[in-house]
Amino acid sequence: MLLSCNDALEITQKGELNDAALFTSIGNMQLFLNETYDRLNLENDITVSSLLTDEVAIGSGLTVNDTQRFFMVTTNGYAAGIWNSHYNLINYCNRLIRGAALYTPTAAELPAYNSIIAQARALRAFAHFELLTYYSTDLSDNAAPGVMIVDFVPAASQDIPRSTNGKVFDFIESDLTYVDANLIEPTGTNAYKFVNTNFIKSFRARMYLYRKNYPEALKYANSVISTSGRILSTCTVTVPNFPATSAATVPQGAGTGSTTINVDPGSGFPIQRALYQVDQWVSAVSPVYRKMWVDAAQGEILFALDRPVNKVNFSSTYNTNGSYLTGGPLYDMGRNLFTAYQSSLGGGAEDYRRWCFVDRSASISTTPATASRTNEEIVIDKYPGKTGGHTANDLKVFRLSEIYFIKAECLIRSGDLPGAAGLIQQVRQARSYTGGVVPTPVYANVTGALADVLLERRKELSFEGHRYIDLKRLGSDAGVTGTDRYARDAVNGSATNPVNINNGDYRFTLPIPQAEINVNPLQQNPGYVTN
C-alpha cells in the first residue's frame, strides 16, 4: 500500500546494462562508438534520389513502385526511413556523449576520450545536415523551417519543435569546431571508413555549396584537392578486344546472363571475355576505378561506410540477387542516363562508366522507343558486390571527383569559367579508357557552364544520392527544367503521367513523416496534407 506508481513502473533489474555500468572505460566507449558508426545509414537517401528523379526505370523483377511514379505522401516509407535512420544515429551519438560524462579519463587517456566524443559529434552534425538536405525547402535560407535540433537523449513523450535552418547550421558548426580541436586522425588501411580530416573538409565543402556560401565551399574544396593524398582514379583498359561505348554487345559464352562475374565466357567470345577480365573483382587488369567499386582499392574515396559481406546488401535495392541479367533486376538504369554514358568524351576518348555502371549481361535494345521491360534491361552495376558476396558494397559518401565538381561550380559562380572547364576536363580525362586527350570545354556563359557541371555530376555521381538535391538546388540555374526521364521508363514502370516533375515542385522537399507528426506536432512542408 505504501508503494507509489513510479516504484511499480521504474524497476531496475539486477545486472541491467545502464550508462553507469557501461561507460566505465575508454575501451567501452570505443565499443559503443563502433556501434554508433553502424547507425550511419544512407541507403534510403540514395534510393529515394534514384526513384524521384531520372536514374531508374522499373525493371523486370518489380511490378510497381509508387515513389518511382512520383507518388509522395506523408506516409511514404522512404521519407520515413530517412527521417528515422538519421535521428536514430543522432540518438546513439547523444547517448555516447551523455554516458562519457560519467567517466573521468586519466591524463593519458584524455586525447583518446576527446577524440571519441569528437567522432560522435561529427556523425551527429552530418546526420542533422542530411536531414536538412531532404526536409528543408531551401538550405540557403536561414529563416526557412529546418529540422529538430537534438543534442540530448529525449524522453519518449517529449515534443521537440523544428528549428530554423540558421539555428541548425549554427549547431552543426559548433559540433565541427569541437571536432577540429579534438579529433585524432585515424590510421591504417581502413582509416577512410572513420571520421577523418578528409571527411570533415569534404563535409564542409558540400555543406557550404548547398548553403550557397561559395567562397567557403571553394576554400575547403581546394584544401581537399591539395592535401587529401588522393588522386582521381584512372580507367585505362589495355585488354584486347575491349569494345567501344557504342557497341551493343550480346551476352555470350559460359554463364551468359547469370553470375557472369565469376564465369569466364571462353576464348571463343573475345568481346565478352575482355569485359569479363576487366570486371573480375580481383583482376590485375582492372582499372583502379573499377577496383574502387568492387571494394578492392580505396582509389579516390575520401570517406565510405563499411559494408562487409552479409551485413547490409545494398545492391539488392536495384537487383534482387545480383547485378546481372538473371539476378532479378528491380530497377533498370534510366535510358537517358545510359545514353549519356554512350556519348564520346571527345578527342578519341570514350567513357568507361558505360561499362563500369552497366553489367555486361545487360540486354540493350536497338529500338529503345519501342522496348519493353523484358527486351531491354539495362542492368545497374554500380554496386556489383565484392569478394565473397554479390550484393555487399561499401557506400561511397565522399569522393574526390565530387570535390572537383564543387570547386568547378564555385569558380563558375565567381566568373572563372575557364578554370571550371579545366576541372571538368580532368574528371572526364580520368574516365577515358581508350586513350586520347579529352578536349577542354568552352563555356559561353554561366548557364552553359552550370549545365555541364550538372551533366557531369549526373553521370559520375549516379546512384550515390546526389541527383535529387542537384536538380533542386542547381537545375534552374543550369537551364534544366526538371527531371529527364525517358518516356518508356515511365511506361515500362506502369507509371502515370506526368513522366517528369519540374523544378520547384513541392516533391523536391520530402514530407515530415506522418508517424512523427502523430506524436510530435511539427509544421508540415508545403504541398503535403497531414492526416
Side-chain angles (χ1 to χ4, degrees), residues 79-92:
I82 293 172
W83 181 273
N84 293 336
S85 67
H86 292 309
Y87 276 116
N88 180 257
L89 169 61
I90 290 168
N91 186 51
Y92 267 70

Side-chain angles (χ1 to χ4, degrees), residues 2-243:
L2 299 178
L3 294 176
S4 70
C5 291
N6 284 342
D7 291 328
L9 294 174
E10 298 178 5
I11 301 172
T12 301
Q13 298 288 342
K14 291 183 178 180
E16 180 179 294
L17 186 61
N18 52 31
D19 282 2
L22 175 60
F23 294 98
T24 58
S25 68
I26 294 293
N28 284 358
M29 287 176 58
Q30 182 62 55
L31 289 173
F32 197 93
L33 177 62
N34 294 345
E35 179 64 23
T36 302
Y37 272 104
D38 277 348
R39 302 294 160 169
L40 175 50
N41 297 316
L42 297 177
E43 286 83 351
N44 283 305
D45 310 46
I46 296 171
T47 304
V48 80
S49 183
S50 286
L51 299 187
L52 278 177
T53 61
D54 42 34
E55 290 187 340
V56 298
I58 297 292
S60 61
L62 188 68
T63 56
V64 68
N65 183 287
D66 281 349
T67 306
Q68 200 268 345
R69 296 191 295 166
F70 302 127
F71 291 174
M72 178 56 66
V73 294
T74 60
T75 54
N76 182 274
Y78 294 109
I82 293 172
W83 181 273
N84 293 336
S85 67
H86 292 309
Y87 276 116
N88 180 257
L89 169 61
I90 290 168
N91 186 51
Y92 267 70
C93 294
N94 288 333
R95 287 181 179 276
L96 174 54
I97 294 167
R98 182 185 69 177
L102 300 176
Y103 178 71
T104 302
T106 66
E109 292 175 328
L110 187 59
Y113 175 90
N114 289 339
S115 184
I116 289 172
I117 295 175
Q119 291 171 74
R121 293 185 68 166
L123 296 175
R124 183 173 71 178
F126 184 69
H128 278 92
F129 172 69
E130 282 292 296
L131 288 161
L132 285 176
T133 298
Y134 289 94
Y135 299 97
S136 172
T137 55
D138 182 359
L139 273 70
S140 66
D141 182 358
N142 280 336
V147 294
M148 304 181 298
I149 296 175
V150 184
D151 60 352
F152 59 96
V153 179
S157 59
Q158 189 169 358
D159 290 344
I160 305 173
R162 293 180 74 173
S163 294
T164 62
N165 283 342
K167 290 183 178 179
V168 180
F169 278 115
D170 285 346
F171 174 70
I172 290 172
E173 293 281 9
S174 68
D175 269 348
L176 294 182
T177 297
Y178 183 90
V179 176
D180 288 340
N182 292 283
L183 179 67
I184 297 175
E185 191 71 12
T187 59
T189 304
N190 291 321
Y192 68 99
K193 299 179 183 180
F194 297 90
V195 171
N196 57 66
T197 300
N198 286 340
F199 168 85
I200 298 301
K201 291 180 178 179
S202 300
F203 174 16
R204 279 192 159 115
R206 184 189 292 176
M207 178 176 71
Y208 292 130
L209 182 78
Y210 290 6
R211 293 274 282 155
K212 299 183 180 179
N213 186 343
Y214 302 116
E216 284 296 295
L218 178 61
K219 180 179 77 174
Y220 284 103
N222 277 330
S223 182
V224 173
I225 292 170
S226 62
T227 67
S228 67
R230 314 313 303 172
I231 61 173
L232 292 171
S233 295
T234 55
C235 299
T236 305
V237 174
T238 58
V239 175
N241 302 308
F242 204 86

